[in-house]
Amino acid sequence: MALNEEDFFTEKQTDGVHLSLKVKRWLLRQKTAYQELIVAETTELGKLLALDGKVMLTEADEAFYHEMLVHPTMMSIDIPQKVAVIGGGDGGTVREVLRHPSVQKVFWVEIDEVVLSACKEWLSSVHCGVFDDERVEIVIAPGEKWLPNFSSEFDAIIVDGTDPIGPALPLFEPDFFSACKKALKPDGILALQCGTPFYFRDEVRMVWRNLKQVFEQVKFYLGFVPTYPSGLWAYAMAGNSLPNLDLKELYRRQKERGLINCHYYSPEVHIASLALPPFVQDLLQNA
Ligand code: AG3
């Protein structure tokens, strides 16, 4: 059978660079109150979740992203107990948070109920049942409206939003970061994804500037996510004082927490991810 355009999902990563994934079966295409949602079965990368034409995850590489968003921060906290996850309607981020055995409570704050129910139905390999975990409380609300209600409450806040443009923009602005700072315990840590320093130079700079304006300490680090624009993805950790953990201490914590069988995260990768190539250093220096 000849291929036609309908057999591919295409993300326009930039005006001149598109990524196309061949689709075996379209499972869901729905306009929600906030965005257009697509779930499809691809031929090579498992199921795909896309919002507003952007790849949120494929089953093949979602762990690369979720592990790197969550573990560098969670491992940097001595005994993480109370965590807020903002966004991440597919459940992958909450799944990784719950792998740290000291966690007692996760507030999972997602703006779009339709995304939650679609992911619950179609992406069980991603959420692995976290919807029914008794430590998890789901809140349907915009993160930037919900978070300002809290003071000194959370060990970690993890923001799993879409790109720092469009509807998710409030989650990258100084007002929201100030609310995060207030809602964190004194040695709590904020983690977020910041886009790609290769294509989204201005956005990455903007996030860096806004974080530096609010937090005493900010660290950027990088990971590889094959289906995201350029593959090279930036994340940030921010707090009053971020610990510098050495390999030995990371190994100790990894063992103590039973955080084994990761696909991407390891103590070595944790430390290596903080080394920024000169082009990224330059980008941030001139932010
Ligand atoms: N959150 C960040 C996805 C950003 C990808 N950007 C893009 N494809 N242009 C993903 C949600 C996964 N839990």
Side-chain angles (χ1 to χ4, degrees), residues 25-169:
R25 202 152 68 98
W26 298 96
L27 301 171
L28 191 64
R29 191 188 285 255
Q30 193 173 353
K31 275 213 159 35
T32 79
Y34 299 95
Q35 49 213 339
E36 175 176 297
L37 178 150
I38 286 177
V39 182
E41 175 80 39
T42 70
T43 57
E44 292 191 20
L45 302 178
K47 286 188 193 132
L48 157 80
L49 169 69
L51 294 176
D52 286 340
K54 297 181 205 302
V55 174
M56 291 295 112
L57 63 83
T58 73
E59 282 181 310
D61 65 351
E62 57 86 9
F64 291 18
Y65 169 80
H66 289 125
E67 289 174 11
M68 286 306 280
L69 177 62
V70 169
H71 298 317
T73 286
M74 292 295 281
M75 289 284 269
S76 299
I77 300 166
D78 291 342
I79 306 175
Q81 292 178 315
K82 204 167 188 183
V83 178
V85 171
I86 313 290
D90 50 80
T93 295
V94 174
R95 176 195 75 208
E96 293 302 320
V97 167
L98 290 172
R99 293 176 72 180
H100 295 258
S102 57
V103 171
Q104 293 170 352
K105 179 89 190 177
V106 180
F107 286 97
W108 181 8
V109 187
E110 166 61 50
I111 190 171
D112 196 338
E113 204 168 0
V114 178
V115 172
L116 283 176
S117 49
C119 293
K120 188 173 183 182
E121 180 173 355
W122 292 104
L123 296 172
S124 57
S125 77
V126 178
H127 64 70
C128 296
V130 297
F131 286 92
D132 302 317
D133 192 295
E134 57 194 13
R135 293 166 289 177
V136 175
E137 182 169 335
I138 296 176
V139 180
I140 307 294
E144 72 275 14
K145 298 258 159 59
W146 179 84
L147 202 69
N149 301 324
F150 295 91
S151 262
S152 268
E153 187 82 19
F154 301 109
D155 297 295
I157 298 173
I158 301 180
V159 185
D160 184 10
T162 56
D163 295 347
I165 33 169
L169 191 60

Side-chain angles (χ1 to χ4, degrees), residues 106-239:
V106 180
F107 286 97
W108 181 8
V109 187
E110 166 61 50
I111 190 171
D112 196 338
E113 204 168 0
V114 178
V115 172
L116 283 176
S117 49
C119 293
K120 188 173 183 182
E121 180 173 355
W122 292 104
L123 296 172
S124 57
S125 77
V126 178
H127 64 70
C128 296
V130 297
F131 286 92
D132 302 317
D133 192 295
E134 57 194 13
R135 293 166 289 177
V136 175
E137 182 169 335
I138 296 176
V139 180
I140 307 294
E144 72 275 14
K145 298 258 159 59
W146 179 84
L147 202 69
N149 301 324
F150 295 91
S151 262
S152 268
E153 187 82 19
F154 301 109
D155 297 295
I157 298 173
I158 301 180
V159 185
D160 184 10
T162 56
D163 295 347
I165 33 169
L169 191 60
L171 296 178
F172 296 94
E173 289 187 326
D175 280 354
F176 177 69
F177 292 153
S178 302
C180 288
K181 187 177 164 148
K182 178 172 146 268
L184 283 167
K185 292 180 189 163
D187 44 13
I189 302 178
L190 166 69
L192 60 149
Q193 67 90 8
C194 310
T196 169
F198 188 67
Y199 293 130
F200 307 162
R201 302 170 67 86
D202 292 341
E203 290 80 3
V204 167
R205 274 202 197 106
M206 178 268 294
V207 177
W208 173 254
R209 259 195 328 266
N210 293 351
L211 283 169
K212 292 287 265 189
Q213 195 181 315
V214 171
F215 287 94
E216 272 69 19
Q217 272 198 316
V218 183
K219 286 184 186 176
F220 263 41
Y221 60 99
L222 298 171
F224 181 58
V225 188
T227 60
Y228 286 176
S230 89
L232 184 69
W233 214 246
Y235 309 82
M237 296 166 66

